[in-house]
Structure formats: C-alpha cells, structure tokens
Amino acid sequence: MVEALGTHDFGVVFRLAREHAGISYQRLAAECGIKPERVGALARGRGRVESYDKIAMIADALRVPGHLVGLAPRPWETTATAYPATVRRRDVLAGAVGLAVTLPDLLPPSVPTRVGAGTVVRLKERTARLRRLDDVLGGGDTYRLYATEYQRTKRVLRDSSYGESVGRELLALAAEQAQQAGWAAFDGGRERDALGLYQESRSAAEEAGAEDLARNALAYLAYQATSADSRTAATIAAHSCDAITERTPATVRALLWERCAWARAVATDAAGAEAALVEARTALDADDASAPQPAWSAWVDHAELDIMAGRCWTELKRPLRAVPFLVRGLDQFDDTHARDASLYSTWLAEAYTTAGEVEEAARVIGRALELADGVASTRPRQRIDHVVSTLALEHRSVQAVAELVERTA
C-alpha cells in the first residue's frame, strides 16, 4: 500500500480498498471525482493518475496524509492523526473507511427526549438528503446507513415523548425510511431483509394514516414479487393503484402506475401494461406535477418513465417499441449513475437481441459490463448474465458474442 501511494499507483490503492475495506469502486468514484469505469480500469492496471489536482483529490477523499503521495500536509491533517512513515496497509484502509463519514451529514444528529414538530422537520430533511446517495451508490453501500436511520426513528418512537400529531409524523417517517432501507436491501441482494422492511413500512404507514406511503409499500412488494409469482405481483400492484385519488400527488400517481405497468408486463398482460403506462404519463403531464412533490417520489420524471416503458415492451417481446424509449431515457443517465445506466442498458441489449441486432446487443452489454464494475448492486450483473446467456445460447458463432462470452467467463 505504501509503495503504491508513493508511486501514485492508485489502481492498487483502489483494489486494496475494495478487497480489504469493502469499499466499492462506485463509492470510490463518487467521492474521488472519477468516473466509475475509470476507477475499475485503474484497478485492472490500465492507465495512471498523473495530474496534481486529481492526486490531491484522491488523497483528501481517502484521508491519505500528504507525505505519502509526495504532497505537503493536507489541510485536514493534525499531529494527532498523522501517520508515521512506517504506516501499514491496514492503517490506510482504516482511513479509507472514513469515506462513509466524509459524505454529507452521515453522522446521526442528536434527538431531544421531548420531540416536537421542528425535530421531525429536521429528520425529514435529513432523510431526503441521504436518499440522494442512492443516485450514485448501490444498495451494498447504503443499506446499513438507511437501516440505521430507520432503527433510530423506531427508538425515538419507543423512548421519546411527543404529542399525537408528532407521533403520526414520526410513524410516517419510519415508513418512508423502511422503504428506503428495503430498496437498498433489495438492490444489494438481501431480498429477505427487503421483504420484511416493506411489510413493516406498510404497517407503519397504515397506522400513521399515510395512505400514499402505504400504497407505495404495496408497490414495492409487488415489484419484488414479479420474478417469483408474476400473477400475484400484478394483483398487488393493481391494488396499490385502486385508491389513487385527485389528492394523490402527481409523482406518486406516476410511480404507482409505472410499477403496475411493470408487474402487468411480466405477467404478459400487454394491454394492461400499456394502459398503466398511459396513466403514469398522464400523471406526469398533469398541472399538479409542477407543484411540490413528496421527497420519496420526486425522482420520478419522464426519463424514468421512458426507461420503464422500454423495459415493459422489452419484457413483452416488442423491441421496435422498446428501443426508442430506452435510447431516449438512457441519454439522461451519465456515468455518475453507473448502476442505473448499466442496469437499464441490459434491457436495451435484450431488445436488440429480440430484434436480431446481435452485434449491437453485444456492444451495449459490453458497455453495461464496464459500468457495472465495482457497483455495489447485484442487479446489473444478474441482468448482464441473463442477456449474455441468451446471446451465447442463440448466437455464439457471432464473433462479438464469442468475445463477450469469453470476457464474462
């Protein structure tokens, strides 16, 4: 480690941080200001970091003392935290774990014994800030953080004193946090944990009278159930949309309807999927879509809906309808959103495969593979393996496919 730092071989540094400290390449990329695929390439021995600014940025992100990389002491260094010249690899890795606390506002704020409306507002704002980590990090990176936030709110509900209205707000917040933790668990491959969190979220939301959150918990349950029991998932998803009213915020309506569309597509109900997609787009085009939306649904926009439409039509074996939606939607996801760009590209590759555009499918899945390297999410690789297996089964004689199979072996 010391030798790698001294020679600015950050590929070795990144690889050791991943292997020994459990820090994903995507997380390193987000903090160090490097594209995820660039981090992966460096870790594989391809390329070097040469610029002073980038070396300084990486050193600060990993809390590496300046003298180890040929720099003057960094502004954050103190005598108490400076490493000796004989610093060991595990010492630097321990510093690298500090990435978790260099991200904004990760240390939980204290909560007074008596909780009032102002405290709930601050907790909601914190939850909204932390949710944005999901834009650039996978569930393997965020699950523990989100689960800790949820458990902390449960302790507040159990141990603090508050009025009836504040109690309902805290219950709704717990429901929201349980959904976020459940999503991170699902994304990180912890499906059993996700299921339990979604069920707890639904119970808390119903107790709080937070109908929109309760319906979203149902939608999450349906989404997770699609691979095991598509018919049941479609029924659950439809039920989540049953109680939508004119008071339901636009992005919540769009979110519920697009997940209903997906469940119906997996259940091979093309007409039902199309009708749900129309409802989702109508919601986003409605006048109230420009009004303030709940933080937990505000991310739903036309790009997200394009991606979902493309996924649905790919699932329904309608590639001519799928490809335009996916291409347009993917244009809105840059490389900092490596998990989503990688995952959504797999549906584009599958649509190309169905359409007989085998070389283009191989090209797209190759790009998805690059983006997925180091992402702390199980979903992109699962989808990549699925598409590569399909290509290998039907088109192994095509050179691009043979090369892809060898690359993923």
Side-chain angles (χ1 to χ4, degrees):
M1 172 65 82
V2 174
E3 181 180 352
L5 289 168
T7 59
H8 298 164
D9 189 350
F10 290 105
V12 171
V13 174
F14 292 152
R15 189 169 67 251
L16 291 173
R18 181 184 183 185
E19 292 174 357
H20 296 279
I23 303 174
S24 72
Y25 291 160
Q26 188 181 15
R27 186 174 177 186
L28 287 163
E31 192 66 14
C32 295
I34 303 175
K35 292 183 178 180
E37 64 268 26
R38 171 69 168 154
V39 171
L42 289 167
R44 292 191 296 273
R46 304 209 308 256
R48 295 184 63 83
V49 176
E50 303 287 355
S51 76
Y52 168 85
D53 288 344
K54 190 60 67 177
I55 291 169
M57 185 179 295
I58 294 171
D60 290 342
L62 297 180
R63 286 298 190 262
V64 174
H67 75 274
L68 290 177
V69 289
L71 302 176
R74 309 307 300 151
W76 49 266
E77 289 186 62
T78 66
T79 302
T81 59
Y83 292 97
T86 56
V87 64
R88 294 174 294 119
R89 178 180 68 182
R90 292 295 300 178
D91 294 331
V92 176
L93 291 174
V97 177
L99 274 172
V101 296
T102 61
L103 293 171
D105 279 324
L106 294 195
L107 293 176
S110 59
V111 176
T113 303
R114 175 71 184 178
V115 177
T119 299
V120 177
V121 169
R122 289 191 293 274
L123 290 174
K124 286 183 176 181
E125 290 173 346
R126 174 178 169 80
T127 298
R129 288 195 302 272
L130 293 178
R131 183 181 294 103
R132 290 195 286 273
L133 294 176
D134 185 64
D135 290 342
V136 294
L137 299 176
D141 284 330
T142 57
Y143 170 66
R144 290 185 183 278
L145 170 63
Y146 292 147
T148 297
E149 291 290 305
Y150 169 51
Q151 293 299 328
R152 183 171 170 277
T153 299
K154 287 174 67 176
R155 289 196 297 273
V156 171
L157 279 162
R158 184 186 65 226
D159 299 336
S160 300
S161 60
Y162 42 79
E164 183 178 347
S165 61
V166 168
R168 285 196 300 271
E169 291 294 316
L170 284 170
L171 270 172
L173 176 62
E176 181 181 341
Q177 291 171 330
Q179 287 178 17
Q180 187 65 58
W183 175 251
F186 176 70
D187 190 50
R190 307 169 67 116
E191 295 194 6
R192 179 174 293 184
D193 290 340
L195 180 62
L197 285 160
Y198 293 154
Q199 290 170 338
E200 290 181 28
S201 171
R202 183 185 180 190
S203 296
E206 289 177 344
E207 185 177 349
E211 296 177 357
D212 293 339
L213 278 166
R215 285 193 285 271
N216 198 43
L218 272 180
Y220 271 123
L221 288 166
Y223 192 84
Q224 183 164 332
T226 51
S227 60
D229 186 347
S230 60
R231 295 294 176 185
T232 298
T235 299
I236 296 171
H239 183 52
S240 74
C241 297
D242 284 346
I244 289 177
T245 69
E246 61 183 14
R247 298 192 308 275
T248 305
T251 54
V252 176
R253 299 198 304 271
L255 178 58
L256 296 176
W257 279 116
E258 73 155 22
R259 288 186 176 154
C260 183
W262 174 245
R264 287 173 172 174
V266 175
T268 67
D269 177 7
E274 184 169 26
L277 288 169
V278 169
E279 292 286 357
R281 200 165 296 278
T282 299
L284 289 183
D285 290 338
D287 291 341
D288 64 320
S290 59
Q293 302 292 314
W296 53 268
S297 64
W299 57 274
V300 182
D301 57 16
H302 284 88
E304 161 65 22
L305 186 53
D306 281 343
I307 293 293
M308 182 57 79
R311 289 175 58 188
C312 288
W313 292 119
T314 300
E315 189 72 19
L316 291 163
K317 309 300 182 185
R318 303 281 291 277
L320 295 183
R321 300 192 71 170
V323 168
F325 283 117
L326 290 166
V327 169
R328 185 170 67 189
L330 280 165
D331 280 345
Q332 305 304 311
F333 290 85
D334 60 27
D335 290 353
T336 61
H337 298 80
R339 178 198 58 197
D340 292 344
S342 173
L343 180 64
Y344 298 154
S345 292
T346 66
W347 273 285
L348 179 58
E350 185 173 345
Y352 280 136
T353 301
T354 303
E357 298 291 340
V358 179
E359 289 83 2
E360 187 64 10
R363 183 193 68 79
V364 172
I365 209 67
R367 175 61 175 155
L369 192 62
E370 292 176 1
L371 288 168
D373 189 18
V375 172
S377 168
T378 61
R379 295 186 299 143
R381 189 62 201 226
Q382 288 171 348
R383 285 283 309 162
I384 288 169
D385 290 345
H386 166 73
V387 177
V388 171
S389 296
T390 301
L391 285 168
L393 182 65
E394 301 175 2
H395 306 285
R396 187 181 286 269
S397 60
V398 177
Q399 182 178 351
V401 174
E403 292 173 354
L404 185 62
V405 171
E406 182 178 353
R407 182 179 170 188
T408 56

